[in-house]
């Protein structure tokens, strides 16, 4: 996966590592992350999703290429420490592997994982979104992606070429 920040930095997600290219210095910076997701170094993981929230915080979605799965699949970049950190969340939630991310028109950051759909609002509060739980249950843990259109609808691609539209304001499908 690739992502270019407004400042020109380019993030490149790869197998078991993440790289940031700084166009000013023309240098790549490598960030290891398996220790953050409780996986040994020899396990193949991948960064599937790279995105930033409305305030510019960079997020990274991690999944295993083979195996049991990841329990802490959302990481973020701490600019002051120039390091990746694990996004911590309450014990009552399980994030799992993160496949896709997106921003809605209100500036809230969303991500789709193998355990459902989550939102981090602009204050940093995390909540699980239950409006499409029935569709997720029927489709299984394989989703194609999420997208927010200009009107404010959330679009989710599900297994078997299904497409769901959800109005975040009214809850209408």
């Amino acid at each position: 996966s690739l992502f270019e920040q407004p400042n020109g930095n380019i993030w490149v997600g790869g197998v078991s590592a993440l790289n940031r290219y700084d166009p000013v210095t023309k240098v790549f910076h490598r960030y290891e992350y398996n220790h953050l997701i409780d996986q040994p170094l020899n396990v193949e993981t991948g960064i599937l999703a790279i995105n930033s929230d409305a305030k510019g915080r960079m997020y990274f979605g991690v999944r295993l290429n083979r195996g049991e799965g990841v329990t802490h699949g959302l990481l973020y970049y701490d600019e002051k420490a120039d390091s990746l950190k694990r996004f911590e969340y309450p014990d009552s939630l399980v994030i799992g592997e993160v496949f896709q991310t997106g921003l809605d028109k209100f500036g809230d950051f969303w991500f789709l994982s193998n355990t459902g759909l989550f939102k981090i609002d602009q204050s940093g509060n995390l909540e699980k979104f239950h409006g499409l739980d029935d569709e997720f249950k029927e489709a299984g843990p394989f989703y194609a992606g999420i997208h927010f259109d200009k009107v404010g609808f959330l679009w989710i691609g599900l297994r078997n070429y299904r497409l769901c539209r959800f109005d975040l304001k009214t809850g209408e499908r």
Side-chain angles (χ1 to χ4, degrees):
S1 52
L2 294 168
F3 185 86
E4 183 177 4
Q5 290 180 273
N7 67 4
N9 283 334
I10 298 173
W11 292 89
V12 182
V15 176
S16 299
L18 177 71
N19 295 284
R20 177 178 55 88
Y21 177 71
D22 183 332
V24 174
T25 62
K26 298 186 179 3
V27 173
F28 279 93
H29 302 270
R30 183 176 173 92
Y31 301 91
E32 302 290 337
Y33 60 84
N34 275 6
H35 66 287
L36 297 171
I37 59 171
D38 299 328
Q39 296 293 325
L41 290 176
N42 63 345
V43 172
E44 277 191 23
T45 58
I47 300 285
L48 269 190
I50 303 174
N51 210 336
S52 66
D53 66 13
K55 295 180 180 178
R57 179 185 241 188
M58 294 297 303
Y59 287 96
F60 308 94
V62 182
R63 75 170 292 233
L64 281 181
N65 293 337
R66 297 180 212 96
E68 290 296 314
V70 172
T71 55
H72 295 281
L74 186 65
L75 306 176
Y76 70 93
Y77 176 64
D78 182 337
E79 197 169 349
K80 289 180 185 173
D82 188 27
S83 66
L84 294 181
K85 297 197 175 173
R86 178 165 64 188
F87 184 85
E88 298 296 339
Y89 53 88
D91 290 339
S92 60
L93 296 174
V94 176
I95 289 178
E97 297 177 299
V98 175
F99 302 120
Q100 292 282 319
T101 61
L103 285 176
D104 66 21
K105 73 176 194 172
F106 310 108
D108 294 328
F109 180 81
W110 294 75
F111 61 94
L112 185 59
S113 84
N114 63 327
T115 61
L117 183 63
F118 296 84
K119 176 178 83 170
I120 301 173
D121 66 22
Q122 291 192 47
S123 299
N125 301 314
L126 172 72
E127 68 180 84
K128 186 169 184 179
F129 182 73
H130 294 284
L132 294 168
D133 283 351
D134 292 339
E135 284 83 354
F136 290 151
K137 188 180 234 180
E138 184 180 322
F142 304 104
Y143 317 122
I146 61 175
H147 175 75
F148 294 92
D149 66 20
K150 293 176 184 174
V151 177
F153 289 119
L154 163 63
W155 295 84
I156 298 184
L158 300 171
R159 184 169 35 169
N160 298 330
Y161 307 104
R162 290 186 57 214
L163 182 64
C164 294
R165 184 185 81 168
F166 192 83
D167 186 333
L168 296 172
K169 270 188 173 176
T170 65
E172 188 177 304
R173 293 182 200 162

